Amino acid sequence: METAAPARVQALAETGVSRLPAQYIQPPEHRPAHPSSSPVPAALSVPVVDLSSPTAADAVRAACADWGAFHVVGHGVPGELLDAVRGAGLAFFRAPMEDKLRFACDPARGAAAEGYGSRMLANDDSVLDWRDYFDHHTLPESRRDPAHWPDFVPGYRDTIVKYSNSMKDLAQRLLHIISGSLNLPPSYIEEAIGVVYQNITISYYSPCPQPDLALGLQSHSDMGAITLLIQDDVGGLEVLKDGMWIPVAPLPDGILVILADQTEIITNGRYKSSVHRAVVNAERARLSVATFYDPSKSRKICTAPQLVSKDEPQKYRDVIYGDYVSSWYSKGPEGKRNIDALLIQP
């Protein structure tokens, strides 16, 4: 485990620091209140899809085409489980630092190692996010070792296992609907992804002394196939839509679906991955739980041939997923989409 742990944002915030340390200050063009940010029309908000409705498939199709992100309700995941995973995460971050550090990431294992951490990128020059996190490796089950997860929060490990299984079922259900909405066989995207690699990342955004200069999470699109996210009642997540940053209002029992880059490749750009970020505030800590549904590093991701034609030529080169991940972690999001590097005709 870590011997020389990097600074934890939470520990820094709790010292009562009044000025943001330089390594957390975003360049002006990436700051939340940059003058180029357009005012958001009041009526513009992320779609909400009721999966129990007979019109759910049509609503998913429209949300994927127009937004790349949408809330689902009527999804069948008990509200008690959503509350339990949020509660477990909050209990971890409220625990004494010495308890948390027992489960710190091992930097020798590279970027995105499992455990308690504060920086994911291998690039030392990158601006740091105002965030701490705990990353769990949950699928395939051969990667799942609850001994790597906190033992001092009652029920924590069982809750993560239940949540992992529930999110896998929901992700597969959604991918079936998404495939069908493009007239592909329902299992097409699931089969294109292959063996599912699932990580669950609980993020904790401490109050920030100068929130106008920082970001909890820099602008990016997710690397894998689909991400399922829940948040608390504080708010701070924003998605990019038509050049505007749209706040994603917390929905207590809603689960936010975020399309990721491999789905954009498979769908030949019919459905685009969602660019999103997290802003912070000076008063209240915020917690979110993101579940990533990704291919294995050795999987080759290709555009569905059914979605390629003379009128709609293939947009993206095929890619080995592990190569894509390595590129992301070495360069960082840089406020833009890594997927653009795969464009056949930029």
Side-chain angles (χ1 to χ4, degrees):
M1 293 293 176
E2 285 181 349
T3 52
R8 304 300 177 185
V9 171
Q10 186 180 5
L12 193 58
E14 288 173 357
T15 66
V17 61
S18 61
R19 296 184 69 82
L20 194 65
Q23 63 267 39
Y24 296 96
I25 296 176
Q26 292 291 330
E29 65 273 17
H30 293 165
R31 292 175 192 170
H34 188 257
S36 67
S37 300
S38 306
V40 177
L44 205 54
S45 60
V46 171
V48 179
V49 175
D50 184 350
L51 289 184
S52 67
S53 164
T55 60
D58 289 337
V60 167
R61 180 189 295 110
C64 288
D66 294 342
W67 284 80
F70 53 97
H71 271 125
V72 289
V73 296
H75 42 63
V77 181
E80 296 80 12
L81 181 56
L82 303 181
D83 289 340
V85 76
R86 282 186 288 245
L90 202 55
F92 171 80
F93 283 103
R94 285 178 173 170
M97 183 61 74
E98 57 266 29
D99 290 340
K100 293 191 289 241
L101 286 176
R102 287 175 42 224
F103 296 92
C105 298
D106 180 357
R109 299 186 66 176
E114 185 170 32
Y116 172 48
S118 299
R119 64 178 302 162
M120 273 200 173
L121 297 177
N123 181 356
D124 288 336
D125 297 329
S126 59
V127 179
L128 298 181
D129 294 327
W130 190 258
R131 172 182 84 126
D132 301 306
Y133 62 85
F134 199 107
D135 191 38
H136 313 74
H137 294 178
T138 44
L139 289 174
E141 289 193 25
S142 58
R143 292 171 78 229
R144 183 192 283 176
D145 184 357
H148 291 161
W149 310 339
D151 57 1
F152 54 85
V153 176
Y156 187 106
R157 294 172 173 178
D158 286 345
T159 296
I160 295 295
V161 168
K162 287 176 188 170
Y163 191 71
S164 164
N165 295 337
S166 183
M167 289 301 102
K168 179 186 178 185
D169 291 345
L170 179 58
Q172 290 177 335
R173 181 181 172 193
L174 286 161
L175 289 176
H176 281 215
I177 296 170
I178 291 167
S179 293
S181 74
L182 291 166
N183 296 317
L184 295 169
S187 61
Y188 188 92
I189 296 177
E190 183 185 349
E191 291 173 2
I193 295 304
V195 176
V196 179
Y197 277 66
Q198 181 198 69
N199 283 19
I200 297 175
T201 303
I202 303 179
S203 295
Y204 187 83
Y205 304 92
S206 296
C208 180
Q210 294 178 291
D212 54 324
L213 300 181
L215 285 171
L217 197 57
Q218 297 172 51
S219 168
H220 67 288
S221 58
D222 291 341
M223 296 179 285
I226 195 171
T227 303
L228 303 176
L229 183 139
I230 62 173
Q231 51 182 334
D232 61 14
D233 63 346
V234 175
L237 184 68
E238 298 182 340
V239 299
L240 190 63
K241 165 74 169 162
D242 300 330
M244 295 177 288
W245 285 106
I246 311 299
V248 179
L251 200 58
D253 288 334
I255 298 173
L256 186 71
V257 180
I258 301 173
L259 299 190
D261 292 345
Q262 307 314 303
T263 294
E264 180 166 342
I265 294 169
I266 292 166
T267 65
N268 201 28
R270 300 269 191 98
Y271 295 161
K272 290 196 162 38
S273 58
S274 172
V275 175
H276 53 284
R277 69 182 185 184
V279 298
V280 289
N281 72 83
E283 288 81 35
R284 295 182 67 192
R286 172 177 172 259
L287 183 128
S288 68
V289 185
T291 304
F292 302 96
Y293 185 105
D294 300 343
S296 75
K297 298 277 182 71
S298 61
R299 190 71 171 181
K300 186 177 186 180
I301 301 298
C302 311
T303 297
Q306 300 95 315
L307 302 179
V308 176
S309 65
K310 184 178 177 182
D311 292 334
E312 290 192 71
Q314 184 174 334
K315 289 185 172 68
Y316 300 107
R317 295 191 299 275
D318 300 346
V319 67
I320 303 296
Y321 185 62
D323 295 342
Y324 193 83
V325 171
S326 297
S327 168
W328 197 97
Y329 278 116
S330 60
K331 291 192 308 180
E334 298 178 339
K336 57 180 184 286
R337 304 191 327 144
N338 270 20
I339 195 172
D340 292 344
L342 297 178
L343 284 166
I344 292 171
Q345 293 184 317

